[in-house]
Amino acid sequence: MSVLRTTARAPIARTALAVLAVVAVLALTGGLLAPLDPLAQDTARILQGPSGAHLLGTDYLGRDVLSRLLAGTGLSVLTAAEAVAAAMLLGVVPGLASVRFGAALSWISLRAVDALMTLPFTLFAIAAVGVLGNGLHQAMLALGVLLAPLFFRVTRAAALGLDRAQYVEAAELMGASRSWILRVHIWRKVLPTVAVTTAHALATSLLAVSSLTFLGIGVQPPAPTWGGMLAGDLGFLAQQPWAPALPAALIMLTVGALNLLADAVRDAEPADAVRGAGPADTAVRKEHRDGLAAV
Amino acid sequence: MNALADGRPQLARRSFLGLGLGAGAALLLAACGGADTAGTGAPGSSGTLKWGWALPTSWDPVFSSAGWDVHVLSLVYAGLTKLDEHGAAVPALATDWTYAPDGASVTFRLRPGLTFGDGTPLDAAAVKKSLDRGRTDPKSLVAPQLVHVAEVTATDPGTVVLHLTQPDYQLPNLLAGKTGMIVNPKAFEADAAALATAPAGAGPFTLTSYTLNTKAVLRRNPGYWDAASIKLENFELYPLPDATTVVAGLQSGQFDVAQIPGSQVAAAKAAGLEVQVIPSLVVAVLDVNTTKAPFDNPDVVEALKYAIDREALLKTQLFGFGEVNHQPFPKGYVGHDPGSDDLYRYDPDKARALLAKAGHPDGVDLAITTTAAQGLPEQLQAQLKQVGIRATIEVVPAAQATQIVYVQHSKALFTDQFAGRDSAAQAFQVLFGDQGLMNPGRTTPPELKDAVEKVSRTPLDSPDYPKVLQAATALAVRTMPNVFLYSVPRLLARRRSVSQLPASTVVQRFEGVSVS
């Protein structure tokens, strides 16, 4: 909890949290806040500039841009979160298990992770959608599989350092079970590292989701998404050169806020997470960096 | 990097990296440029014209699978005939042709001294071999157009006779397109497969280099029968430019001429480019498979035709360029039936009534298959919803669309464009024939077959021909499920250094075009 308190005291983190709070509210209630039906077409008023009736103008089918931006927030952000949730499930549990449950499991999981890290996000997602069908959940599952190595590596690195801590060895000598040690001594200490990784992974996932929807993969028109709106607007730069800036700004703000928050959590982390880990501290940081760099 | 220098977190470089990454992914930048190529100074010609259009599916006209390819293949191949700006057959490699009085044969007389691009003589024997290949090759895609040709004979080096199983007066038009493009026998006898990337014709240009999906470079063919009309020394061909960058590409000199969408016309004019709106035979159409539910009920098909507001589609999809159309031929073409002009005027009430009659009073579900979801499919979906048709949009990759739609016939409704054909009877075959690519239901009413036969049997110069052809058109649009939406003109933007382009309705030609 001290990590959270330290994080919350940082102005950068507060700014990032404020932005993310707004995005979260829009994601959960954006459709309700939309002033007009985001799917309603008015072909008599296509590509109009901002006005009282349409605060951000209309798109190529006369739909209200503001309403589509608001309604599109949920699909864009929640799908990114879905991919990260899948990645956490597939990465954190094997990451912890690989430390505590034997060399064979460790070796196998590391090789699997090495193989996954060689695959590019977008191409893998397109291939997965081609095989499993063009759907949102298929694309997010593919994305989750490729993000999982990130969680696996940072979780494993942190757990490796803590596994050699004196209080863990003491617990073992006193007869504590492996699962008890994992739950009480390791998991709680690994959490801040997972939090940092989650924020970074969300940013990466949002970019990947935006790229996929930009390409028309996962979410189909007319359902609004930030990436889809960006793609649609690009065809009409001659009429509305400013239009792509709106979804682009939302993507940029959200990704930036997530990265800033991740940095703030990470900077608050050392005082608590890896204190006393001794020589393993360096290894934790190195693997953490490597994991992020692999994104 | 992550030190707590004064007890407070500092903004790390990774933060900036994150912001930059977001910005970079969100804002797409397109950069383009081009380099001029100098001409070789051949007499009467100069300059290079760079055309942003489309590269062909194959440089072999017998195996080209897209109607669109005819524009590019016409640069490197010539036929016995060609089409004038209005779509009428005029002499090309042949100076004239004569039908036997009973219509059982047609005799073409060749120009003297014709050669292919490599200098090989182009005589009647070569024409016979080329046409026979198109007629008899087991995998030929033009063979169905030549079913009425029983035999081709070369009576002397300058005379070719096509013996017919029944009178077919469409042949001079038909032979102006891919079907009649004369391929050098020396090339296909040596290595026919090589023609896919190395054309061997007698057209205005010869291909000098070709990079798949990227670029084709052509050079003027001095041996072309009408070489005096070709003012361009070099010709470069590029894939269709992206709508977002096409105007910038023209401004920068990456292209000299390019096809542009209606949304870019104002921008092109504002950029100082010339824009030509050339009427064409291209028509937007929905391919309907009557073997798939719900279109196995004719009332649902008719409801679909009345449920579409074509005026609204034209406004948003083409920005008003082109014309609403309920039939395969545009106004001004001989096959256009004035009686079908307003046949399926937007009538949502009638559409709902037809759906109810078909047993769907609460509406019906279907899928719109397309290669690009944005735009027309979205608008169709919204219009169909108004009458109770709940449509989902299913995107298939463009590269697989031919296989899925035209070969497997596995989709009920597909958004398509018909590129037009050199001959009206050929257009009927593609759109409505029981083997027609755009007739996924594979059924044709006997009365329509008879009407098309009558078209083929009527001489093009007969006073009855327009009436016979228009009657076939009227019958086709009333009995076939294809839903025609609007005619699509050819919108070509060009730099001011390029002279006016011929307004060819069927095939874009470049006779007389120069670059200063």
Side-chain angles (χ1 to χ4, degrees), chain B residues 214-255:
Chain B
T214 304
K215 180 182 181 182
V217 179
L218 303 97
R219 173 155 301 196
R220 180 175 179 270
N221 173 17
Y224 178 54
W225 70 270
D226 192 20
S229 298
I230 304 302
K231 309 297 183 189
L232 299 164
E233 182 63 23
N234 299 294
F235 203 108
E236 293 179 10
L237 188 67
Y238 296 89
L240 190 65
D242 188 82
T244 313
T245 58
V246 62
V247 172
L250 284 157
Q251 279 183 292
S252 70
Q254 185 184 10
F255 310 111

mmCIF file of all heavy atoms in Angstrom, chain B residues 214-255:
data_model
loop_
_atom_site.group_PDB
_atom_site.id
_atom_site.type_symbol
_atom_site.label_atom_id
_atom_site.label_comp_id
_atom_site.label_asym_id
_atom_site.label_seq_id
_atom_site.Cartn_x
_atom_site.Cartn_y
_atom_site.Cartn_z
ATOM 1 N N THR B 214 4.014 -3.346 -57.852
ATOM 2 C CA THR B 214 4.716 -2.087 -57.578
ATOM 3 C C THR B 214 4.750 -1.156 -58.784
ATOM 4 O O THR B 214 4.327 -0.003 -58.694
ATOM 5 C CB THR B 214 6.157 -2.379 -57.123
ATOM 6 O OG1 THR B 214 6.108 -3.252 -56.001
ATOM 7 C CG2 THR B 214 6.887 -1.104 -56.743
ATOM 8 N N LYS B 215 5.238 -1.649 -59.906
ATOM 9 C CA LYS B 215 5.479 -0.720 -61.005
ATOM 10 C C LYS B 215 5.684 -1.491 -62.309
ATOM 11 O O LYS B 215 6.264 -2.575 -62.312
ATOM 12 C CB LYS B 215 6.740 0.091 -60.682
ATOM 13 C CG LYS B 215 7.151 1.111 -61.728
ATOM 14 C CD LYS B 215 8.446 1.793 -61.288
ATOM 15 C CE LYS B 215 8.890 2.836 -62.275
ATOM 16 N NZ LYS B 215 10.176 3.466 -61.880
ATOM 17 N N ALA B 216 5.209 -0.909 -63.397
ATOM 18 C CA ALA B 216 5.501 -1.441 -64.730
ATOM 19 C C ALA B 216 6.034 -0.295 -65.577
ATOM 20 O O ALA B 216 5.498 0.809 -65.533
ATOM 21 C CB ALA B 216 4.249 -2.032 -65.361
ATOM 22 N N VAL B 217 7.091 -0.557 -66.295
ATOM 23 C CA VAL B 217 7.684 0.463 -67.164
ATOM 24 C C VAL B 217 7.526 0.007 -68.611
ATOM 25 O O VAL B 217 7.879 -1.134 -68.961
ATOM 26 C CB VAL B 217 9.177 0.676 -66.832
ATOM 27 C CG1 VAL B 217 9.781 1.719 -67.769
ATOM 28 C CG2 VAL B 217 9.350 1.097 -65.386
ATOM 29 N N LEU B 218 6.976 0.882 -69.431
ATOM 30 C CA LEU B 218 6.728 0.538 -70.836
ATOM 31 C C LEU B 218 7.409 1.556 -71.738
ATOM 32 O O LEU B 218 7.618 2.710 -71.342
ATOM 33 C CB LEU B 218 5.220 0.517 -71.123
ATOM 34 C CG LEU B 218 4.365 -0.419 -70.259
ATOM 35 C CD1 LEU B 218 3.735 0.330 -69.101
ATOM 36 C CD2 LEU B 218 3.284 -1.075 -71.090
ATOM 37 N N ARG B 219 7.715 1.105 -72.934
ATOM 38 C CA ARG B 219 8.325 2.006 -73.907
ATOM 39 C C ARG B 219 7.515 1.955 -75.197
ATOM 40 O O ARG B 219 6.981 0.917 -75.556
ATOM 41 C CB ARG B 219 9.771 1.579 -74.166
ATOM 42 C CG ARG B 219 10.448 2.357 -75.287
ATOM 43 C CD ARG B 219 11.927 2.375 -75.138
ATOM 44 N NE ARG B 219 12.326 2.979 -73.863
ATOM 45 C CZ ARG B 219 13.548 3.394 -73.600
ATOM 46 N NH1 ARG B 219 14.483 3.291 -74.505
ATOM 47 N NH2 ARG B 219 13.845 3.920 -72.440
ATOM 48 N N ARG B 220 7.487 3.065 -75.863
ATOM 49 C CA ARG B 220 6.717 3.183 -77.107
ATOM 50 C C ARG B 220 7.153 2.112 -78.106
ATOM 51 O O ARG B 220 8.345 1.841 -78.252
ATOM 52 C CB ARG B 220 6.950 4.578 -77.688
ATOM 53 C CG ARG B 220 6.237 4.891 -78.969
ATOM 54 C CD ARG B 220 6.497 6.359 -79.301
ATOM 55 N NE ARG B 220 5.863 6.744 -80.554
ATOM 56 C CZ ARG B 220 6.462 6.651 -81.730
ATOM 57 N NH1 ARG B 220 7.704 6.175 -81.820
ATOM 58 N NH2 ARG B 220 5.831 7.037 -82.828
ATOM 59 N N ASN B 221 6.183 1.506 -78.769
ATOM 60 C CA ASN B 221 6.461 0.486 -79.780
ATOM 61 C C ASN B 221 6.423 1.150 -81.158
ATOM 62 O O ASN B 221 5.335 1.456 -81.664
ATOM 63 C CB ASN B 221 5.401 -0.622 -79.681
ATOM 64 C CG ASN B 221 5.497 -1.637 -80.799
ATOM 65 O OD1 ASN B 221 6.525 -1.710 -81.484
ATOM 66 N ND2 ASN B 221 4.437 -2.419 -80.990
ATOM 67 N N PRO B 222 7.556 1.369 -81.749
ATOM 68 C CA PRO B 222 7.548 2.068 -83.050
ATOM 69 C C PRO B 222 6.880 1.255 -84.154
ATOM 70 O O PRO B 222 6.516 1.811 -85.189
ATOM 71 C CB PRO B 222 9.041 2.286 -83.334
ATOM 72 C CG PRO B 222 9.763 1.283 -82.502
ATOM 73 C CD PRO B 222 8.921 1.014 -81.302
ATOM 74 N N GLY B 223 6.708 -0.062 -83.916
ATOM 75 C CA GLY B 223 6.084 -0.902 -84.939
ATOM 76 C C GLY B 223 4.572 -0.972 -84.810
ATOM 77 O O GLY B 223 3.918 -1.662 -85.590
ATOM 78 N N TYR B 224 3.997 -0.261 -83.821
ATOM 79 C CA TYR B 224 2.540 -0.264 -83.632
ATOM 80 C C TYR B 224 1.868 0.295 -84.888
ATOM 81 O O TYR B 224 2.365 1.259 -85.482
ATOM 82 C CB TYR B 224 2.203 0.587 -82.396
ATOM 83 C CG TYR B 224 0.728 0.730 -82.093
ATOM 84 C CD1 TYR B 224 -0.087 -0.384 -81.956
ATOM 85 C CD2 TYR B 224 0.166 1.993 -81.914
ATOM 86 C CE1 TYR B 224 -1.438 -0.251 -81.659
ATOM 87 C CE2 TYR B 224 -1.184 2.145 -81.607
ATOM 88 C CZ TYR B 224 -1.984 1.018 -81.488
ATOM 89 O OH TYR B 224 -3.321 1.163 -81.206
ATOM 90 N N TRP B 225 0.753 -0.301 -85.258
ATOM 91 C CA TRP B 225 0.126 0.096 -86.527
ATOM 92 C C TRP B 225 -0.266 1.568 -86.546
ATOM 93 O O TRP B 225 -0.292 2.201 -87.600
ATOM 94 C CB TRP B 225 -1.108 -0.779 -86.809
ATOM 95 C CG TRP B 225 -2.282 -0.513 -85.895
ATOM 96 C CD1 TRP B 225 -2.541 -1.124 -84.716
ATOM 97 C CD2 TRP B 225 -3.329 0.437 -86.092
ATOM 98 N NE1 TRP B 225 -3.678 -0.617 -84.146
ATOM 99 C CE2 TRP B 225 -4.206 0.349 -84.976
ATOM 100 C CE3 TRP B 225 -3.632 1.358 -87.097
ATOM 101 C CZ2 TRP B 225 -5.332 1.130 -84.833
ATOM 102 C CZ3 TRP B 225 -4.766 2.147 -86.961
ATOM 103 C CH2 TRP B 225 -5.605 2.033 -85.840
ATOM 104 N N ASP B 226 -0.536 2.146 -85.370
ATOM 105 C CA ASP B 226 -0.933 3.556 -85.305
ATOM 106 C C ASP B 226 0.098 4.340 -84.489
ATOM 107 O O ASP B 226 -0.254 5.195 -83.679
ATOM 108 C CB ASP B 226 -2.327 3.650 -84.668
ATOM 109 C CG ASP B 226 -2.947 5.031 -84.815
ATOM 110 O OD1 ASP B 226 -2.507 5.794 -85.704
ATOM 111 O OD2 ASP B 226 -3.856 5.367 -84.033
ATOM 112 N N ALA B 227 1.375 4.019 -84.699
ATOM 113 C CA ALA B 227 2.435 4.621 -83.880
ATOM 114 C C ALA B 227 2.452 6.138 -83.995
ATOM 115 O O ALA B 227 2.865 6.834 -83.055
ATOM 116 C CB ALA B 227 3.785 4.041 -84.270
ATOM 117 N N ALA B 228 1.982 6.649 -85.107
ATOM 118 C CA ALA B 228 2.010 8.105 -85.303
ATOM 119 C C ALA B 228 1.143 8.819 -84.272
ATOM 120 O O ALA B 228 1.366 9.994 -83.960
ATOM 121 C CB ALA B 228 1.542 8.442 -86.710
ATOM 122 N N SER B 229 0.134 8.107 -83.730
ATOM 123 C CA SER B 229 -0.752 8.737 -82.743
ATOM 124 C C SER B 229 -0.189 8.672 -81.327
ATOM 125 O O SER B 229 -0.754 9.270 -80.418
ATOM 126 C CB SER B 229 -2.123 8.036 -82.745
ATOM 127 O OG SER B 229 -2.727 8.177 -83.999
ATOM 128 N N ILE B 230 0.845 7.910 -81.144
ATOM 129 C CA ILE B 230 1.409 7.741 -79.803
ATOM 130 C C ILE B 230 2.522 8.762 -79.602
ATOM 131 O O ILE B 230 3.578 8.682 -80.227
ATOM 132 C CB ILE B 230 1.937 6.301 -79.598
ATOM 133 C CG1 ILE B 230 0.828 5.289 -79.874
ATOM 134 C CG2 ILE B 230 2.494 6.137 -78.182
ATOM 135 C CD1 ILE B 230 -0.414 5.466 -79.012
ATOM 136 N N LYS B 231 2.253 9.739 -78.755
ATOM 137 C CA LYS B 231 3.189 10.850 -78.553
ATOM 138 C C LYS B 231 4.086 10.648 -77.341
ATOM 139 O O LYS B 231 4.941 11.482 -77.062
ATOM 140 C CB LYS B 231 2.409 12.156 -78.365
ATOM 141 C CG LYS B 231 1.373 12.430 -79.444
ATOM 142 C CD LYS B 231 2.024 12.605 -80.804
ATOM 143 C CE LYS B 231 0.995 12.955 -81.870
ATOM 144 N NZ LYS B 231 1.589 12.913 -83.236
ATOM 145 N N LEU B 232 3.832 9.593 -76.599
ATOM 146 C CA LEU B 232 4.601 9.360 -75.372
ATOM 147 C C LEU B 232 5.726 8.363 -75.647
ATOM 148 O O LEU B 232 5.496 7.314 -76.242
ATOM 149 C CB LEU B 232 3.690 8.801 -74.281
ATOM 150 C CG LEU B 232 2.530 9.699 -73.861
ATOM 151 C CD1 LEU B 232 1.483 8.906 -73.079
ATOM 152 C CD2 LEU B 232 3.058 10.855 -73.024
ATOM 153 N N GLU B 233 6.905 8.678 -75.191
ATOM 154 C CA GLU B 233 8.037 7.775 -75.398
ATOM 155 C C GLU B 233 8.053 6.692 -74.323
ATOM 156 O O GLU B 233 8.342 5.529 -74.596
ATOM 157 C CB GLU B 233 9.350 8.577 -75.367
ATOM 158 C CG GLU B 233 10.594 7.746 -75.617
ATOM 159 C CD GLU B 233 10.608 7.105 -77.012
ATOM 160 O OE1 GLU B 233 9.920 7.617 -77.915
ATOM 161 O OE2 GLU B 233 11.284 6.072 -77.173
ATOM 162 N N ASN B 234 7.762 7.081 -73.102
ATOM 163 C CA ASN B 234 7.782 6.118 -71.981
ATOM 164 C C ASN B 234 6.469 6.198 -71.212
ATOM 165 O O ASN B 234 5.825 7.254 -71.151
ATOM 166 C CB ASN B 234 8.942 6.420 -71.025
ATOM 167 C CG ASN B 234 10.285 6.323 -71.714
ATOM 168 O OD1 ASN B 234 10.695 5.253 -72.131
ATOM 169 N ND2 ASN B 234 10.957 7.457 -71.875
ATOM 170 N N PHE B 235 6.142 5.098 -70.603
ATOM 171 C CA PHE B 235 4.895 5.018 -69.839
ATOM 172 C C PHE B 235 5.192 4.231 -68.568
ATOM 173 O O PHE B 235 5.774 3.153 -68.621
ATOM 174 C CB PHE B 235 3.841 4.275 -70.670
ATOM 175 C CG PHE B 235 2.422 4.571 -70.288
ATOM 176 C CD1 PHE B 235 1.610 5.345 -71.098
ATOM 177 C CD2 PHE B 235 1.897 4.082 -69.118
ATOM 178 C CE1 PHE B 235 0.304 5.624 -70.746
ATOM 179 C CE2 PHE B 235 0.593 4.349 -68.760
ATOM 180 C CZ PHE B 235 -0.211 5.126 -69.583
ATOM 181 N N GLU B 236 4.846 4.793 -67.442
ATOM 182 C CA GLU B 236 5.028 4.075 -66.181
ATOM 183 C C GLU B 236 3.659 3.880 -65.540
ATOM 184 O O GLU B 236 2.845 4.801 -65.494
ATOM 185 C CB GLU B 236 5.951 4.849 -65.235
ATOM 186 C CG GLU B 236 7.383 4.931 -65.751
ATOM 187 C CD GLU B 236 8.290 5.719 -64.816
ATOM 188 O OE1 GLU B 236 7.863 6.038 -63.685
ATOM 189 O OE2 GLU B 236 9.418 6.029 -65.232
ATOM 190 N N LEU B 237 3.469 2.684 -65.027
ATOM 191 C CA LEU B 237 2.167 2.311 -64.487
ATOM 192 C C LEU B 237 2.317 1.920 -63.023
ATOM 193 O O LEU B 237 3.238 1.169 -62.675
ATOM 194 C CB LEU B 237 1.641 1.123 -65.287
ATOM 195 C CG LEU B 237 0.230 0.665 -65.039
ATOM 196 C CD1 LEU B 237 -0.760 1.714 -65.503
ATOM 197 C CD2 LEU B 237 -0.014 -0.639 -65.795
ATOM 198 N N TYR B 238 1.432 2.445 -62.195
ATOM 199 C CA TYR B 238 1.514 2.196 -60.752
ATOM 200 C C TYR B 238 0.166 1.700 -60.238
ATOM 201 O O TYR B 238 -0.865 1.969 -60.839
ATOM 202 C CB TYR B 238 1.897 3.477 -60.010
ATOM 203 C CG TYR B 238 3.261 3.990 -60.365
ATOM 204 C CD1 TYR B 238 3.440 4.876 -61.428
ATOM 205 C CD2 TYR B 238 4.387 3.586 -59.653
ATOM 206 C CE1 TYR B 238 4.702 5.346 -61.770
ATOM 207 C CE2 TYR B 238 5.650 4.046 -59.989
ATOM 208 C CZ TYR B 238 5.797 4.927 -61.049
ATOM 209 O OH TYR B 238 7.043 5.377 -61.386
ATOM 210 N N PRO B 239 0.183 0.999 -59.092
ATOM 211 C CA PRO B 239 -1.086 0.599 -58.479
ATOM 212 C C PRO B 239 -1.923 1.824 -58.111
ATOM 213 O O PRO B 239 -1.402 2.928 -57.975
ATOM 214 C CB PRO B 239 -0.656 -0.156 -57.212
ATOM 215 C CG PRO B 239 0.756 -0.536 -57.448
ATOM 216 C CD PRO B 239 1.336 0.518 -58.333
ATOM 217 N N LEU B 240 -3.211 1.586 -57.934
ATOM 218 C CA LEU B 240 -4.133 2.676 -57.603
ATOM 219 C C LEU B 240 -3.662 3.398 -56.341
ATOM 220 O O LEU B 240 -3.496 2.782 -55.292
ATOM 221 C CB LEU B 240 -5.532 2.100 -57.365
ATOM 222 C CG LEU B 240 -6.667 3.107 -57.237
ATOM 223 C CD1 LEU B 240 -6.873 3.846 -58.544
ATOM 224 C CD2 LEU B 240 -7.949 2.418 -56.815
ATOM 225 N N PRO B 241 -3.424 4.700 -56.433
ATOM 226 C CA PRO B 241 -2.943 5.429 -55.244
ATOM 227 C C PRO B 241 -4.025 5.501 -54.175
ATOM 228 O O PRO B 241 -5.218 5.499 -54.481
ATOM 229 C CB PRO B 241 -2.631 6.828 -55.784
ATOM 230 C CG PRO B 241 -2.729 6.741 -57.258
ATOM 231 C CD PRO B 241 -3.570 5.568 -57.592
ATOM 232 N N ASP B 242 -3.591 5.609 -52.934
ATOM 233 C CA ASP B 242 -4.516 5.766 -51.822
ATOM 234 C C ASP B 242 -5.230 7.117 -51.938
ATOM 235 O O ASP B 242 -4.625 8.119 -52.329
ATOM 236 C CB ASP B 242 -3.733 5.698 -50.508
ATOM 237 C CG ASP B 242 -4.659 5.653 -49.313
ATOM 238 O OD1 ASP B 242 -5.140 4.560 -49.005
ATOM 239 O OD2 ASP B 242 -4.910 6.724 -48.722
ATOM 240 N N ALA B 243 -6.523 7.114 -51.586
ATOM 241 C CA ALA B 243 -7.310 8.352 -51.703
ATOM 242 C C ALA B 243 -6.690 9.488 -50.902
ATOM 243 O O ALA B 243 -6.761 10.648 -51.287
ATOM 244 C CB ALA B 243 -8.741 8.093 -51.227
ATOM 245 N N THR B 244 -6.066 9.137 -49.796
ATOM 246 C CA THR B 244 -5.512 10.158 -48.918
ATOM 247 C C THR B 244 -4.316 10.868 -49.548
ATOM 248 O O THR B 244 -4.071 12.037 -49.288
ATOM 249 C CB THR B 244 -5.049 9.499 -47.603
ATOM 250 O OG1 THR B 244 -6.073 8.640 -47.145
ATOM 251 C CG2 THR B 244 -4.725 10.531 -46.558
ATOM 252 N N THR B 245 -3.578 10.151 -50.372
ATOM 253 C CA THR B 245 -2.305 10.695 -50.854
ATOM 254 C C THR B 245 -2.288 10.972 -52.351
ATOM 255 O O THR B 245 -1.294 11.471 -52.862
ATOM 256 C CB THR B 245 -1.165 9.722 -50.534
ATOM 257 O OG1 THR B 245 -1.455 8.453 -51.150
ATOM 258 C CG2 THR B 245 -1.013 9.518 -49.034
ATOM 259 N N VAL B 246 -3.397 10.669 -53.037
ATOM 260 C CA VAL B 246 -3.335 10.743 -54.490
ATOM 261 C C VAL B 246 -3.088 12.167 -54.990
ATOM 262 O O VAL B 246 -2.300 12.383 -55.931
ATOM 263 C CB VAL B 246 -4.614 10.123 -55.126
ATOM 264 C CG1 VAL B 246 -5.867 10.874 -54.726
ATOM 265 C CG2 VAL B 246 -4.493 10.068 -56.628
ATOM 266 N N VAL B 247 -3.737 13.146 -54.363
ATOM 267 C CA VAL B 247 -3.545 14.527 -54.826
ATOM 268 C C VAL B 247 -2.102 14.976 -54.563
ATOM 269 O O VAL B 247 -1.455 15.591 -55.426
ATOM 270 C CB VAL B 247 -4.561 15.472 -54.149
ATOM 271 C CG1 VAL B 247 -4.244 16.926 -54.463
ATOM 272 C CG2 VAL B 247 -5.971 15.145 -54.621
ATOM 273 N N ALA B 248 -1.593 14.637 -53.386
ATOM 274 C CA ALA B 248 -0.205 14.980 -53.083
ATOM 275 C C ALA B 248 0.743 14.278 -54.053
ATOM 276 O O ALA B 248 1.753 14.848 -54.488
ATOM 277 C CB ALA B 248 0.125 14.588 -51.642
ATOM 278 N N GLY B 249 0.403 13.035 -54.415
ATOM 279 C CA GLY B 249 1.225 12.291 -55.363
ATOM 280 C C GLY B 249 1.265 12.959 -56.718
ATOM 281 O O GLY B 249 2.299 12.998 -57.389
ATOM 282 N N LEU B 250 0.127 13.498 -57.133
ATOM 283 C CA LEU B 250 0.080 14.214 -58.411
ATOM 284 C C LEU B 250 0.836 15.541 -58.324
ATOM 285 O O LEU B 250 1.571 15.920 -59.228
ATOM 286 C CB LEU B 250 -1.381 14.465 -58.800
ATOM 287 C CG LEU B 250 -2.127 13.237 -59.340
ATOM 288 C CD1 LEU B 250 -3.625 13.400 -59.178
ATOM 289 C CD2 LEU B 250 -1.785 13.008 -60.811
ATOM 290 N N GLN B 251 0.666 16.223 -57.216
ATOM 291 C CA GLN B 251 1.361 17.509 -57.052
ATOM 292 C C GLN B 251 2.878 17.334 -57.056
ATOM 293 O O GLN B 251 3.612 18.146 -57.610
ATOM 294 C CB GLN B 251 0.939 18.156 -55.730
ATOM 295 C CG GLN B 251 -0.393 18.883 -55.775
ATOM 296 C CD GLN B 251 -0.694 19.553 -54.450
ATOM 297 O OE1 GLN B 251 -0.929 18.880 -53.453
ATOM 298 N NE2 GLN B 251 -0.671 20.868 -54.449
ATOM 299 N N SER B 252 3.322 16.261 -56.408
ATOM 300 C CA SER B 252 4.766 16.068 -56.273
ATOM 301 C C SER B 252 5.402 15.513 -57.537
ATOM 302 O O SER B 252 6.619 15.484 -57.656
ATOM 303 C CB SER B 252 5.046 15.115 -55.120
ATOM 304 O OG SER B 252 4.623 13.810 -55.463
ATOM 305 N N GLY B 253 4.567 15.040 -58.477
ATOM 306 C CA GLY B 253 5.114 14.458 -59.688
ATOM 307 C C GLY B 253 5.288 12.952 -59.596
ATOM 308 O O GLY B 253 5.821 12.337 -60.513
ATOM 309 N N GLN B 254 4.826 12.367 -58.504
ATOM 310 C CA GLN B 254 4.895 10.908 -58.419
ATOM 311 C C GLN B 254 4.032 10.282 -59.517
ATOM 312 O O GLN B 254 4.377 9.251 -60.068
ATOM 313 C CB GLN B 254 4.408 10.444 -57.048
ATOM 314 C CG GLN B 254 4.560 8.953 -56.826
ATOM 315 C CD GLN B 254 3.967 8.506 -55.492
ATOM 316 O OE1 GLN B 254 3.283 9.273 -54.817
ATOM 317 N NE2 GLN B 254 4.226 7.281 -55.107
ATOM 318 N N PHE B 255 2.904 10.936 -59.795
ATOM 319 C CA PHE B 255 2.043 10.522 -60.899
ATOM 320 C C PHE B 255 1.796 11.749 -61.791
ATOM 321 O O PHE B 255 1.806 12.880 -61.316
ATOM 322 C CB PHE B 255 0.684 10.031 -60.400
ATOM 323 C CG PHE B 255 0.764 9.020 -59.291
ATOM 324 C CD1 PHE B 255 0.357 9.356 -58.005
ATOM 325 C CD2 PHE B 255 1.236 7.739 -59.526
ATOM 326 C CE1 PHE B 255 0.425 8.435 -56.978
ATOM 327 C CE2 PHE B 255 1.305 6.810 -58.500
ATOM 328 C CZ PHE B 255 0.906 7.158 -57.226
#
